[in-house]
Amino acid sequence: MPHSRIAVSGSTGLIGAALVRSLRADGHEVVRLVRRPAATGDEVEWDPKRQYVDVAGLAGCDAVVHLAGAGVGDHRWTEAYKREIRDSRVLGTAAVAEAVASLDTPPKVLLSGSAVGYYGDTGDRAVDEGAPPGEGFLPSVCVEWEEATAPAEEAGVRTVHARTGLVVSRRGGAWGRLFPLFKAGLGGRMGNGRQYWSFIALHDHIAALRHILDTETLSGPVNLTGPSPVTNGQVTAAMGRVLRRPTLFTAPAPALKAALGEFAGDVLVSQRVLPGQLLDSGFAFAFPGIDDAIRAALR
């Protein structure tokens, strides 16, 4: 997509900010969806709670990348915050999809965020995009989240659901909280350590998003995970190896449940998710292994 106009929501988050930098570095025009009146020419006002988007600001866009949503691990899961997690994704996505569909000349692609939480607990079983949704709160949110893009799909816009795994970065996300602990020598496995973590280096995640935008044959769900999921115990060993720190501490399941409440169940869940669509479409990972991904984050 040479020198395209691309709209991005969630542009201040870990992934969104990195994507905007990458696109602009290659000469693309990026407009950012912001939750206030637009102050500059590269901003578009929107309000996900009111399901409002300034449609005129999306005119001329070749692609829309929708990444906004409340952080799953930012607060304890009260019923109110679970509604916030759900509504920020479902209502926001519906607003963006309806705005895209209403344009006289809609964009070529809507790349909308989703998560590997869609699959629930897969245990030791490896799954790809053909697997059904799991059971529980996060799988149900992911199903509704993806269904909310229907207006864009019905308008003929190529629509992709980027099911993101655990992004390895020291700048934010779940891994951003792990690095300080392990650097201090306080890191260790969670629960029994046998649960699979489907990780992806931030560099590879941004490259995969760019690959999806450029690859017209990709649509529907696309897993954004590395090709070799590892267990939490293997992650712990790799962090200790790369950072050269002891990993003697453990966080037993009861302690995690006491500290995190219902969210602890999703910390301890095992998700062995493979990037079938990415690999089949020719995407090459720069940092496929866990040690390489951790080293990349440190650079």
Side-chain angles (χ1 to χ4, degrees):
M1 301 179 67
H3 304 293
S4 300
R5 177 178 168 88
I6 301 171
V8 179
S9 76
S11 62
T12 60
L14 171 67
I15 296 168
L19 178 63
V20 169
R21 287 194 299 270
S22 173
L23 290 169
R24 285 179 170 166
D26 284 345
H28 297 289
E29 178 187 358
V30 178
V31 293
R32 299 174 299 111
L33 275 66
V34 296
R35 293 180 176 87
R36 52 172 172 73
T40 62
D42 69 341
E43 294 181 344
V44 176
E45 182 182 358
W46 83 309
D47 186 334
K49 290 184 178 180
R50 291 193 295 117
Q51 293 187 270
Y52 166 77
V53 179
D54 180 6
V55 177
L58 300 182
C61 284
D62 300 287
V64 174
V65 183
H66 175 50
L67 302 173
V72 171
D74 289 357
H75 299 279
R76 196 176 183 89
W77 280 10
T78 62
E79 289 304 312
Y81 194 66
K82 285 167 71 175
R83 282 195 302 273
E84 174 70 13
I85 290 171
R86 184 261 179 200
D87 290 351
S88 69
R89 286 160 173 76
V90 178
L91 299 182
T93 301
V96 170
E98 288 166 6
V100 163
S102 72
L103 291 166
D104 291 336
T105 304
K108 298 181 179 70
V109 56
L110 169 61
L111 173 49
S112 185
S114 186
V116 296
Y118 177 93
Y119 302 106
D121 192 337
T122 74
D124 293 337
R125 178 173 53 94
V127 298
D128 63 12
E129 291 87 352
E135 297 180 355
F137 172 65
L138 285 184
S140 69
V141 168
C142 289
V143 169
E144 289 188 79
W145 192 4
E146 295 184 6
E147 288 176 345
T149 62
E153 296 177 64
E154 291 165 3
V157 176
R158 177 169 69 93
T159 302
V160 181
H161 306 119
R163 293 177 180 168
T164 297
L166 292 168
V167 179
V168 185
S169 171
R170 58 187 173 87
R171 295 180 177 178
W175 231 284
R177 301 178 185 183
L178 292 181
F179 272 110
L181 289 173
F182 277 88
K183 282 184 176 180
L186 301 175
R189 62 177 174 82
M190 298 181 184
N192 61 26
R194 293 194 293 270
Q195 67 274 27
Y196 274 90
W197 280 21
S198 296
F199 70 91
I200 184 169
L202 178 60
H203 173 96
D204 283 333
H205 194 286
I206 301 306
L209 292 175
R210 298 285 304 269
H211 175 77
I212 291 169
L213 291 176
D214 290 337
T215 306
E216 295 181 358
T217 56
L218 284 173
S219 63
V222 178
N223 293 335
L224 269 65
T225 61
S228 304
V230 293
T231 65
N232 173 257
Q234 291 170 315
V235 167
T236 299
M239 290 286 280
R241 214 165 34 241
V242 173
L243 297 174
R244 299 181 181 179
R245 294 289 190 275
T247 56
L248 303 177
F249 291 86
T250 61
L256 285 171
K257 291 174 182 175
L260 302 177
E262 186 180 346
F263 178 54
D266 287 274
V267 171
L268 297 169
V269 75
S270 181
Q271 295 182 319
R272 192 177 184 182
V273 181
L274 302 179
Q277 287 267 58
L278 282 180
L279 294 174
D280 289 347
S281 64
F283 181 77
F285 288 86
F287 306 103
I290 186 61
D291 289 56
D292 291 335
I294 295 169
R295 292 191 183 98
L298 293 173
R299 290 198 294 271

